[in-house]
Amino acid sequence: MSTIAETSSRGQTRRGVRVDGWRWGGRIFLVFMLLYTALPMVWMLLTSIKSGFAAMQLPPQWWPDQPTLDSYQKLLDPQNSVGQDFLRFFWNSLFVSTATTILSVIVAVPAAYAFSRFTFPGRNFLFFAVLLRNMFPAVIFLVPLFILMRAIGLVNTHGSLVLTYLTFGLPLAIWLLKGFYDNIPVQLEQAARIDGATRFQAFILIVMPLSAPGIIATAIYSFIGAWNEYIYAYTFLSKNEQLTLPVGIQRFFSENTTDFPGLMAASFMMSVPVVVLFLLLQRYFVRALTEGAVKH
């Protein structure tokens, strides 16, 4: 009996060590991934407060001897050409991303609700056909969409980008919201209808408040996708006053020299809205992903 007890105790100890080993391995991996993602942001921020000469020094210095905010002042000053261009590009990106987000939510919410609640011929085929588009890289659709936008007169307009971003963002938005609606009990809507509410009223008063985390997650996804997109903005827009930030910041590159502090400052300011938005709403995003993935 004592031998069996000792063997069991050793097995539990070994299992405990093995579990602790996995836990510490996971922690080390998370720290490594944090450094892997954070160090480029830190280097970008530090370069943005250097002078042009200090940014080109070899070996590079982590902390500049004479930090300066000249690059940020230049970008935010509407009195000079660089500041005028940057602020224009910023507002263009904000307009396109906001319009894409609003339209994506307006279209995805009823579409996902229909796929979740109604039964109609071809329902499964249509749902998976919506997801089929995400199997192909976005660059495949570049030339056909450009021809289409030129035919309807939307080249060099923000409308071409909004329509294109809707094409790419809606499949995942619909899929995400459908999984969320599947977990909202139908009995809640039935109880509201018994009390005299129409289906639309039950949807607005019951389903919409309960699906708020999923809608917020969809909005975050749509905004980030539109804010960071480069290829289609570069192809569809050629007028300087129409450019968005991902395309506009390439103006810091020239044939003979590159303004690295200005480029890093513009890149850092471009990343701030997305980071702040995600930090403020991340709990809704995580909740939508988990509730949409687990069936109750």
Side-chain angles (χ1 to χ4, degrees), residues 52-65:
F53 177 77
M56 301 296 294
Q57 276 188 333
L58 287 176
Q61 296 180 342
W62 271 99
W63 183 260
D65 295 332

Side-chain angles (χ1 to χ4, degrees), residues 36-47 267-268 271-272 275:
Y36 180 79
T37 55
L39 282 178
M41 292 288 294
V42 173
W43 181 250
M44 180 171 62
L45 177 60
L46 292 177
T47 303
S267 301
F268 181 77
S271 64
V272 167
V275 173

Side-chain angles (χ1 to χ4, degrees), residues 73-144:
Q73 292 175 354
K74 185 187 300 183
L75 290 175
L76 298 177
D77 184 7
Q79 302 301 322
N80 62 72
S81 59
V82 176
Q84 291 175 359
D85 285 343
F86 177 80
L87 293 175
R88 185 186 302 115
F89 300 153
F90 185 91
W91 289 115
N92 289 342
S93 288
L94 187 62
F95 170 77
V96 171
S97 301
T98 304
T100 301
T101 301
I102 294 174
L103 291 176
S104 179
V105 170
I106 291 175
V107 176
V109 166
Y113 182 79
F115 279 119
S116 177
R117 290 293 190 261
F118 300 128
T119 302
F120 50 87
R123 171 176 172 268
N124 292 333
F125 173 79
L126 286 176
F127 181 67
F128 288 107
V130 168
L131 295 176
L132 184 65
R133 197 226 59 80
N134 282 1
M135 295 178 60
F136 303 96
V139 70
I140 291 180
F141 305 96
L142 182 61
V143 174

